[in-house]
């Protein structure tokens, strides 16, 4: 076969390859590629990803092109006699050196990007993110604001086994939380990750941060979002039963909105402290207790308080009915066996409310009203 | 020469014959492949639609865990040892393995280890649900009681592998026929020789890791607990020091099988035999010094991240050499496409795709986005399913006539190939998109934006799973009868195995052949 004919063949093969790439544009509604980032470093990562993707695509088209050409033309049914050539120092040298050169081309931008990612100096805000089975705790180290972030209620209801609820009708299914973290735009936010139990990983694709949260150790990472908006991510390291249900939501807002939000958080914390001193009505305690229960207890003890599997029922249980109130409070604060201690997560009002709720809901009807003052830590 | 041997169950229980033991290994591997495959079907059924329809999240986690463990330790590794048992003595002109009684033992440990591993699913608290990588402290402080049985099973699997490896090395180094110099050995023998050294080097490391887990769990040590002065990340270093070479333990013999098949059907000798041997050795060496690329997000010093990036991408060089060699072997050959060749060619294409994504994952800054997503799942299934498993299937079709004396049904073989190859791509290719779009791995439920590709992937998964039942049918049909195979089976294949009758007699090469 003449050289020009060969080239023509290869050319048509290449076109065929490109046509196969077309569905990518047809499917534009579906996300096929890496999520673009709203940070400069994230954009560098994206570009690096595209460089490598293009390199392997081109290499792939060339190598596969040669193989396909060979598969079509070098077959016995075409009456060819097999060639006998083998071993060639030149060819083998060339095809060892070329991949090496390509690797060097990749290594240069990779090194630059990596050095930028790992430069956590000169941050404006530091937030500590602690992984819990299965929620995130955030602490703004500069301002003392601290809260827990759970999977939102609608997702949590729909994601129960055979819940009968259609997840497609839940907005941001599995990617929404009750308390998102809020950060100002164009500020360098340092995230310290650690864990209270097993290893988790804090990941928000659009912020291009993924860092393991390891019990007993603190990891550093950072982002500087250049666009306001809501960015969603998930825990990325298998952390047990509900690993798939501890999302991360970051609201990037303007400076003024951020300071408003901070002020509100601080006031809420102060109110909670004040609330601990006052005497609450049963109705208020029950309402608040129901909320606390749904967020913290329901996953194991179930909505009807009947528990299930290894998780004991609260309905009609000794602890939640005839047993002493103090022991009930103690159990909530300190945990027992598989039940984690809630003392670090619930304040006195929440604890009083949830104990009141548990002693009166599910037909327990003890009539007990527990005040925050009874909860001593 | 008489084929005298006990009959019935005793033949299999007490056998020291390399062919019998090879057969046992291969059937055990296939059984575990179906068990692990059934678990994959449960996983894909749950992931077919958003919401939780089939299993609860904890059971889902134990399915992903057991699927991985069973496929790695129960299916792929024993299948490769089965090939080694059957083919290595025949390829080097040896009458049997060097240590036949140990050979019996190393096989018969496996069914017990496998049973113990699977039995954990029925224990109180459920089976292991911490991923096949069993990171501490999820696998220590926070693991179910059955974990101690899992540890024992891993120890037994390790014993079996180490004994198998010792046997293969002893056989290859001591029992070659006169004139069979090292550089004349078939490539499959070479890849297994190197694999066996990898096994001996890293299985004890795995044993160390699970032993530390055992003492952390039961005897108050704190290797992996910061509260007692230990470090959870230490576990990952130890695990991946085993785990990365483990990947090559599964793929190097696959390279060997494909390097036997392609020259036969291209009717042309392997382009660069020596460079294939050196490339295999280079990959094996590099596999020891790149382990931490599996853990870029644990917070290593930047210098370590750079080092592990550079070392990792270096693996692309010897791997590329291999792919180029297969290509050059096909080039200007006179190819025919019997079933083994189809699987081998598909291996070259699809393994290369897995290699490309492997290169992408090896670059630390990009890996921060890919890590622990479905992109990784897609990558290692391209390498292990369309890589290792495709090579195993190719090898079975290639040598089945030699083993049984009958030709398999070529039409059904081709049907099996096309069904599997199309469905496996429908199964795994969309997972690249899912990972890039941000779907984490090991989750039982997902956000709505991932629904379409998961649905597609599940359909591909069911089709791929069903196709393997066809494989079982084809193999049984071939054992029962079929067109008689000639001694050479194929059109002039290279190698001593084709000089003995088909089926290969119970004892071969009792007098050593002379190699020119
Ligand atoms: Cu987590």
């Amino acid at each position: 076969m003449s050289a020009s004919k060969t080239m023509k063949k290869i050319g048509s093969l290449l076109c065929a390859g490109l046509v196969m790439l077309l569905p990518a544009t047809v499917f534009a509604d579906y996300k096929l590629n890496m999520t673009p980032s709203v940070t400069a470093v994230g954009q560098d990562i994206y570009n690096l990803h595209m460089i490598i993707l293009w390199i392997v695509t081109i290499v792939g088209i060339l190598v596969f092109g040669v193989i396909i050409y060979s598969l079509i033309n070098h077959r016995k049914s075409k009456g060819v006699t097999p060639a006998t050539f083998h071993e060639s120092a030149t060819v083998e040298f060339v095809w060892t050196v070329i991949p090496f050169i390509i690797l060097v081309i990749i290594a240069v931008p990779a090194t630059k990007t990596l050095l930028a990612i790992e430069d956590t100096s000169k941050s404006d805000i530091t937030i500590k993110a602690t992984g819990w089975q299965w929620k995130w705790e955030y602490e703004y180290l500069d301002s003392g604001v601290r809260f827990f972030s759970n999977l939102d209620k609608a997702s949590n209801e729909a994601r129960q086994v055979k819940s009968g609820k259609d997840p497609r009708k839940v907005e941001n299914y599995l990617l929404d939380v009750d308390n998102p973290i809020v950060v100002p735009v164009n500020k360098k936010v340092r995230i310290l990750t650690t864990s209270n139990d097993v290893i988790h990983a804090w990941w928000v694709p659009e912020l291009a941060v993924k860092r393991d949260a390891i019990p007993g150790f603190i990891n550093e990472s950072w982002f500087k979002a250049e666009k306001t908006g809501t960015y969603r991510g998930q825990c990325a390291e298998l952390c047990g039963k509900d690993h798939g249900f501890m999302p991360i939501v970051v609201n990037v807002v303007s400076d003024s909105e951020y300071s408003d939000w901070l002020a509100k958080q601080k006031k809420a914390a102060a109110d909670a402290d004040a609330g601990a001193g006052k005497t609450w009505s049963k109705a208020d305690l029950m309402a608040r207790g129901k909320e606390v229960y749904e967020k913290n207890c329901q996953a194991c003890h179930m909505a009807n308080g009947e528990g299930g599997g290894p998780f004991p029922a609260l309905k009609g249980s000794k602890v939640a009915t005839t047993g002493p109130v103090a022991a009930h409070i103690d159990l909530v604060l300190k945990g027992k066996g598989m039940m984690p201690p809630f003392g670090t997560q619930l304040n006195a009002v929440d604890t009083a409310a949830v104990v009141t709720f548990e002693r009166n809901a599910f037909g327990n009807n003890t009539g007990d009203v527990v005040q925050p003052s009874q909860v001593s830590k | 020469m008489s084929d005298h041997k006990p009959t019935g169950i005793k033949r299999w229980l007490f056998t020291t014959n390399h062919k019998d033991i090879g057969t046992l290994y291969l059937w055990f591997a296939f059984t575990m492949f179906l068990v692990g495959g059934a678990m994959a079907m449960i996983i894909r059924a749950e992931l077919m639609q958003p919401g939780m329809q089939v299993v609860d999240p904890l059971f889902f986690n134990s399915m992903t865990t057991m699927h991985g463990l069973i496929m790695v330790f129960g299916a792929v590794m024993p299948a490769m040892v089965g090939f080694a048992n059957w083919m290595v003595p025949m390829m080097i002109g040896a009458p049997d393995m060097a240590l036949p009684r140990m050979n019996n033992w190393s096989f018969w440990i496996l069914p017990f280890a496998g049973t113990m591993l699977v039995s954990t699913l029925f224990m109180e608290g459920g089976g292991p649900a911490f991923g096949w990588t069993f990171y501490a402290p999820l696998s220590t402080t926070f693991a179910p009681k059955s974990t101690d049985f899992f540890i024992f099973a891993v120890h037994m699997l390790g014993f079996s592998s180490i004994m198998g490896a010792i046997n293969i090395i002893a056989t290859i180094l001591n029992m070659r026929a006169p004139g069979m110099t090292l550089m004349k050995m078939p490539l499959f023998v070479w890849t297994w020789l190197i694999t066996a050294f990898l096994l001996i080097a890293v299985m004890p490391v795995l044993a160390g890791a699970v032993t530390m887990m055992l003492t952390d769990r039961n005897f108050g040590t704190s290797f992996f607990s910061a509260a007692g002065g230990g470090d959870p990340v230490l576990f990952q270093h130890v695990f991946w020091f085993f785990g990365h070479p483990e990947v090559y333990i599964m793929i190097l013999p696959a390279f060997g099988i494909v390097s036997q098949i392609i020259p036969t059907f291209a009717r042309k000798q392997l382009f660069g035999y020596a460079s294939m041997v050196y490339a295999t050795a280079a990959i094996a060496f590099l596999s020891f010094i790149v382990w931490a690329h599996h853990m870029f997000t644990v917070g290593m010093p930047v210098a370590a991240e750079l080092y592990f990036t550079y070392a990792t991408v270096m693996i692309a060089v010897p791997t590329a050499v291999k792919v180029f060699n297969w290509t050059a072997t096909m080039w200007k050959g006179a190819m025919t496409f019997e079933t083994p060749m189809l699987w081998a060619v598909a291996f070259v294409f699809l393994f290369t795709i897995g290699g490309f994504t492997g290169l992408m994952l090896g670059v630390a800054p990009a890996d921060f986005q890919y890590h622990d997503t479905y992109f990784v799942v897609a990558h290692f299934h391209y390498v292990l399913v369309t890589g290792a498993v495709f090579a195993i299937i190719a090898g079975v079709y290639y040598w089945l006539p030699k083993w049984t004396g009958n030709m398999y049904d070529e039409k059904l073989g081709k049907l099996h190939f096309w069904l599997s190859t199309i469905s496996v791509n429908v199964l795994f290719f969309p997972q690249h998109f899912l990972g890039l779009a941000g779907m984490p791995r090991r989750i039982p439920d997902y956000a709505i934006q991932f629904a379409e590709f998961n649905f597609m992937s599940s359909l591909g998964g069911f089709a791929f799973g069903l196709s393997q039942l066809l494989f079982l049918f084809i193999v049984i049909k071939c054992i029962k009868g079929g067109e008689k195979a000639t001694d050479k089976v194929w059109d002039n294949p290279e190698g001593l195995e084709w000089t003995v009758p088909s089926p290969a007699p119970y004892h071969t090469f009792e007098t050593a052949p002379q190699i020119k």
Side-chain angles (χ1 to χ4, degrees):
Chain A
M1 193 183 286
S2 72
S4 70
K5 226 173 154 189
T6 313
M7 284 311 293
K8 239 179 164 175
K9 270 260 167 76
I10 294 177
S12 58
L13 276 173
L14 272 180
C15 290
L18 287 177
V19 171
M20 282 167 66
L21 293 176
L22 264 185
T25 45
V26 180
F27 273 78
D29 282 352
Y30 304 105
K31 286 215 296 182
L32 294 171
N33 201 356
M34 184 186 278
T35 318
S37 176
V38 292
T39 72
V41 169
Q43 214 43 49
D44 287 347
I45 294 178
Y46 179 85
N47 294 337
L48 178 65
H49 156 75
M50 288 313 290
I51 292 172
I52 314 172
L53 185 61
W54 273 113
I55 288 175
V56 299
T57 307
I58 291 166
V59 172
I61 289 172
L62 291 176
V63 174
F64 292 167
V66 172
I67 298 177
I68 291 169
Y69 177 87
S70 181
L71 292 178
I72 293 170
N73 292 287
H74 304 147
R75 27 170 94 210
K76 197 181 169 208
S77 56
K78 298 223 160 171
V80 292
T81 39
T84 53
F85 66 84
H86 65 95
E87 318 237 338
S88 152
T90 325
V91 173
E92 290 173 71
F93 178 76
V94 170
W95 75 30
T96 310
V97 170
I98 289 176
F100 187 79
I101 293 171
I102 293 175
L103 294 181
V104 175
I105 294 173
I106 295 174
V108 173
T111 306
K112 265 197 217 150
T113 309
L114 191 62
L115 293 175
I117 291 172
E118 298 296 350
D119 178 14
T120 51
S121 61
K122 298 198 193 97
S123 62
D124 300 305
I125 298 176
T126 301
I127 302 173
K128 188 170 117 193
T130 308
W132 292 64
Q133 283 181 321
W134 293 275
K135 65 187 108 186
W136 290 96
E137 178 195 359
Y138 296 106
E139 192 176 347
Y140 286 61
L141 295 185
D142 317 276
S143 48
V145 170
R146 175 178 165 274
F147 58 90
F148 281 85
S149 187
N150 296 277
L151 180 66
D152 75 304
K153 205 174 147 195
S155 293
N156 197 31
E157 282 170 9
R159 68 103 177 170
Q160 302 301 327
V161 180
K162 302 195 176 101
S163 65
K165 298 205 166 98
D166 184 1
R168 287 168 204 272
K169 292 197 179 119
V170 178
E171 208 184 340
N172 296 312
Y173 179 58
L174 298 187
L175 292 179
D176 211 355
V177 295
D178 53 357
N179 301 312
I181 53 172
V182 176
V183 297
V185 69
N186 284 323
K187 288 273 157 55
K188 186 166 183 173
V189 180
R190 189 165 66 127
I191 300 284
L192 303 179
T193 45
T194 185
S195 169
N196 180 60
D197 36 54
V198 301
I199 301 177
H200 303 261
W202 197 88
W203 181 36
V204 180
E206 283 154 302
L207 301 178
V209 173
K210 184 186 287 142
R211 199 48 61 110
D212 288 359
I214 299 167
F217 293 83
I218 291 178
N219 270 331
E220 280 185 293
S221 51
W222 67 278
F223 65 86
K224 188 177 185 179
E226 290 170 353
K227 246 169 67 185
T228 57
T230 303
Y231 305 110
R232 298 170 196 279
Q234 283 177 273
C235 174
E237 178 63 58
L238 177 63
C239 57
K241 176 166 80 80
D242 286 347
H243 161 57
F245 308 104
M246 46 183 293
I248 296 149
V249 179
V250 180
N251 276 340
V252 177
V253 299
S254 68
D255 272 346
S256 62
E257 284 173 284
Y258 174 67
S259 34
D260 289 351
W261 177 81
L262 262 191
K264 233 165 98 189
Q265 295 297 310
K266 285 181 183 158
K267 184 165 178 298
D271 287 351
D273 286 346
K278 79 175 204 199
T279 302
W280 288 60
S281 75
K282 189 180 169 196
D284 286 350
L285 284 170
M286 285 298 283
R288 181 148 182 171
K290 185 163 188 290
E291 261 175 54
V292 176
Y293 182 83
E294 281 166 355
K295 224 174 259 176
N296 298 284
C297 322
Q298 187 166 302
C300 299
H301 296 292
M302 311 308 287
N304 55 13
E306 286 174 6
F311 309 113
L314 301 180
K315 182 176 178 169
S317 78
K318 190 163 169 273
V319 176
T321 54
T322 53
V325 170
H328 191 171
I329 294 174
D330 207 49
L331 184 64
V332 172
L333 294 181
K334 293 188 183 142
K336 185 184 164 191
M338 285 173 85
M339 175 167 158
F342 284 91
T344 44
Q345 302 178 47
L346 303 179
N347 59 32
V349 179
D350 287 339
T351 309
V354 80
V355 171
T356 306
F357 176 76
E358 288 174 358
R359 298 184 82 81
N360 292 288
F362 330 119
N364 283 353
N365 298 331
T366 56
D368 294 341
V369 176
V370 183
Q371 292 298 337
S373 55
Q374 287 169 264
V375 181
S376 56
K377 285 200 181 168
Chain B
M1 179 165 44
S2 73
D3 277 7
H4 117 97
K5 61 196 170 208
T7 48
I9 184 78
K10 274 192 177 165
R11 166 179 172 188
W12 300 105
L13 272 178
F14 301 128
T15 184
T16 53
N17 178 288
H18 74 100
K19 300 186 182 79
D20 279 355
I21 294 175
T23 305
L24 286 171
Y25 265 109
L26 287 166
W27 275 114
F28 174 78
F30 192 72
T31 311
M32 293 308 265
F33 180 63
L34 293 184
V35 173
M39 293 173 178
M41 296 300 104
I42 295 175
I43 294 168
R44 281 318 323 170
E46 180 54 64
L47 290 175
M48 196 163 179
Q49 290 178 57
M52 301 292 302
Q53 294 89 8
V54 184
V55 293
D56 66 76
L58 194 62
F59 188 72
F60 181 90
N61 288 350
S62 58
M63 283 296 100
T64 55
T65 305
M66 297 297 270
H67 165 74
L69 290 168
I70 286 175
M71 288 306 200
V72 169
F73 294 105
V76 173
M77 289 172 72
M80 293 302 185
V81 183
F83 277 110
N85 258 288
W86 252 104
M87 302 319 299
V88 165
M90 288 214 287
M91 285 177 156
I92 61 173
D96 205 307
M97 297 292 281
L99 308 158
R101 284 172 199 281
M102 192 169 87
N103 204 12
N104 173 290
W105 194 27
S106 52
F107 171 75
W108 277 109
I109 287 179
L110 278 184
F112 295 96
T115 309
M116 181 173 296
L117 186 60
V118 175
S119 73
T120 56
L121 283 176
F122 305 99
M123 293 178 189
E124 197 195 322
F130 32 63
W132 86 277
T133 51
F134 48 101
Y135 282 7
L138 189 60
S139 62
T140 53
T141 326
F142 294 82
K145 291 206 177 74
S146 61
T147 305
D148 296 323
F149 288 88
F150 152 82
I151 291 171
F152 194 30
V154 170
H155 269 304
M156 295 211 292
L157 292 163
F159 280 137
S160 166
S161 293
I162 291 171
M163 287 192 290
I166 290 172
N167 211 346
I168 287 164
I169 293 173
T171 306
I172 296 173
L173 294 185
N174 296 309
M175 312 243 323
R176 297 192 311 280
M180 176 65 79
T181 58
L182 285 176
M183 287 309 273
K184 276 190 186 158
M185 295 194 308
L187 216 70
F188 177 71
V189 180
W190 256 115
T191 53
W192 242 117
L193 179 63
I194 291 169
T195 301
F197 277 105
L198 286 183
L199 274 170
I200 289 185
V202 301
M203 290 313 281
V205 178
L206 176 67
V210 293
T211 306
M212 285 189 270
M213 271 172 67
L214 187 76
T215 61
D216 268 14
R217 287 171 54 80
N218 299 302
F219 306 119
T221 58
S222 304
F223 290 107
F224 307 132
S225 159
D231 183 350
V233 178
L234 170 67
F235 175 85
Q236 297 183 29
H237 283 291
V238 178
F239 178 84
W240 285 113
F241 188 83
F242 146 80
H244 196 75
E246 169 67 21
V247 177
Y248 294 93
I249 287 167
M250 292 188 278
I251 203 67
L252 293 184
F255 289 165
I257 293 171
V258 169
S259 304
Q260 300 299 127
I261 293 174
I262 289 181
T264 297
F265 296 96
R267 293 166 181 76
K268 187 160 156 279
Q269 84 182 89
L270 196 66
F271 177 79
Y273 171 85
S275 69
M276 283 297 241
V277 172
Y278 299 140
T280 309
I283 292 174
F285 168 73
L286 287 171
S287 77
F288 283 112
I289 57 169
V290 298
W291 74 89
H293 66 216
H294 294 272
M295 34 193 289
F296 279 137
T297 61
V298 297
M300 279 183 283
V302 67
E305 290 176 338
L306 284 174
Y307 160 74
F308 282 107
T309 295
Y310 299 152
T312 300
V313 296
M314 283 297 294
I315 299 178
V317 175
T319 312
V321 166
K322 289 202 163 272
V323 174
F324 295 152
N325 256 300
W326 292 318
T327 308
T329 306
M330 289 188 265
W331 188 256
K332 289 202 181 293
M335 282 186 272
T336 51
F337 298 95
E338 288 86 344
T339 308
M341 181 63 163
L342 288 176
W343 289 95
V345 171
F347 169 95
V348 175
F349 277 101
L350 300 175
F351 172 78
T352 302
I353 292 180
F356 286 150
T357 50
L359 174 66
M360 297 171 79
L361 285 160
V363 180
D367 180 68
F368 286 139
Q369 290 286 48
Y370 310 137
H371 179 76
D372 266 338
T373 68
Y374 259 80
F375 193 77
V376 180
V377 178
H379 158 71
F380 67 71
H381 281 98
Y382 265 84
V383 177
L384 285 178
V385 179
T386 60
V389 173
F390 268 40
I392 289 168
I393 296 174
V396 169
Y397 281 113
Y398 185 54
W399 285 303
L400 199 55
K402 179 55 66 186
W403 297 339
T404 64
N406 305 320
M407 295 305 289
Y408 58 86
D409 187 325
E410 187 69 50
K411 262 199 193 125
L412 286 181
K414 286 194 166 128
L415 179 67
H416 175 216
F417 168 77
W418 285 110
L419 286 176
S420 302
T421 302
I422 293 168
S423 60
V424 86
N425 282 291
V426 178
L427 164 58
F428 293 123
F429 208 81
Q431 296 183 357
H432 291 113
F433 304 138
L434 287 172
L436 291 175
M439 178 168 162
R441 65 191 283 207
R442 293 166 165 168
I443 56 173
D445 195 6
Y446 45 79
I448 305 303
Q449 74 214 57
F450 306 127
E452 282 84 4
F453 284 127
N454 268 300
F455 186 74
M456 199 190 282
S457 180
S458 287
L459 289 186
F462 300 144
F464 183 73
L466 282 176
S467 309
Q468 305 324 307
L469 298 179
L470 179 60
F471 183 41
L472 177 65
F473 175 77
I474 295 168
V475 171
I476 292 174
K477 189 171 171 219
C478 177
I479 292 171
K480 293 225 156 144
E483 188 196 329
K484 291 285 157 253
T486 60
D487 293 359
K488 286 199 158 189
V489 181
W490 312 111
D491 198 14
N492 215 15
E494 277 269 338
L496 286 175
E497 76 262 39
W498 311 110
T499 64
V500 303
S502 300
Y506 203 55
H507 299 288
T508 38
F509 298 123
E510 284 179 317
T511 16
Q514 279 291 331
I515 320 296
K516 297 172 270 27

